[in-house]
Amino acid sequence: MTTPVRKIVVTGPFGAGKTTFAATVTAGLDGTLTTTETGVSDETAALKTSTTVALDHTSVVVPPAPTSAWGATRVTLFGTPGQERFAFTWEVLAQNMDGYVVLVDASRPESIAQAAGIVAAFARTAPACPRLVAVSRWADPAGTRAHLAQLLGTSPTALVPCDPRDPDQSLAVLRLLLDAAHTLESRRRAVTDGVNA
């Protein structure tokens, strides 16, 4: 059976590392990144000088981990803008996705608050879709996991540490999402096969 192309969305607040994550994955897996960054002209310029205004896009082949139940899989990855004024693009990019990553910078309380709103928005749009919350600059994952999950409105098991600049950590996040997408598809297939038997 041919492995389907998987659509993964990378979202999160302004400055959380979405474009960096996409660039890291692209470089590590020999893809080509298309981005729509432009200069920042409001108060957020104190954090960074450019922002995504439409989307980031890359297409890569993700090799499975030795324990994976799926083979090498082509992933088409879409990065969303993080600023709330571009939120109308989130629902468009979320259509037909197989999983999504919400990036958050744990060192910035405003990033956590903004990420909570994004988690809630995507949960309304795609309640059954696999989700991971990839947390960077997380000083104490073991000690703060439950509290951070509560602030973000997600399960503690959905939180994974991830420096979006790190190729191994970024690939690990993609593999975890692909594991979840494969498991969900297998369950749906089992239900369908049972109904048709």
Side-chain angles (χ1 to χ4, degrees), residues 53-115:
V53 294
L55 60 91
D56 295 324
H57 176 261
T58 190
S59 181
V60 293
V61 175
V62 178
T67 57
S68 296
W70 44 271
T73 301
R74 179 159 295 282
V75 168
T76 181
L77 188 146
F78 293 89
T80 74
Q83 292 166 300
E84 194 169 344
R85 67 177 179 260
F86 299 120
F88 64 92
T89 66
W90 300 346
E91 191 169 336
V92 173
L93 292 173
Q95 291 178 11
N96 302 313
M97 66 183 173
D98 294 293
Y100 62 102
V101 182
V102 180
L103 289 169
V104 61
D105 177 351
S107 71
R108 293 174 41 233
E110 65 275 18
S111 181
I112 294 170
Q114 291 164 0

Side-chain angles (χ1 to χ4, degrees), residues 191-197:
V191 168
T192 302
D193 290 346
V195 168
N196 293 332

Side-chain angles (χ1 to χ4, degrees), residues 6-11 70 93-94 96-103 118-119 122-134 154-155 157-160 173-188:
R6 299 292 190 189
K7 178 181 179 183
I8 302 295
V9 171
V10 179
T11 189
W70 44 271
L93 292 173
N96 302 313
M97 66 183 173
D98 294 293
Y100 62 102
V101 182
V102 180
L103 289 169
I118 293 170
V119 166
F122 272 77
R124 286 189 301 271
T125 300
C129 194
R131 169 184 70 216
L132 288 176
V133 179
T154 193
S155 163
T157 59
L159 302 183
V160 291
V173 167
L174 279 183
R175 284 175 167 161
L176 283 171
L177 264 182
L178 291 173
D179 285 342
H182 177 80
T183 300
L184 183 61
E185 182 180 71
S186 296
R187 288 178 182 158
R188 287 177 177 159

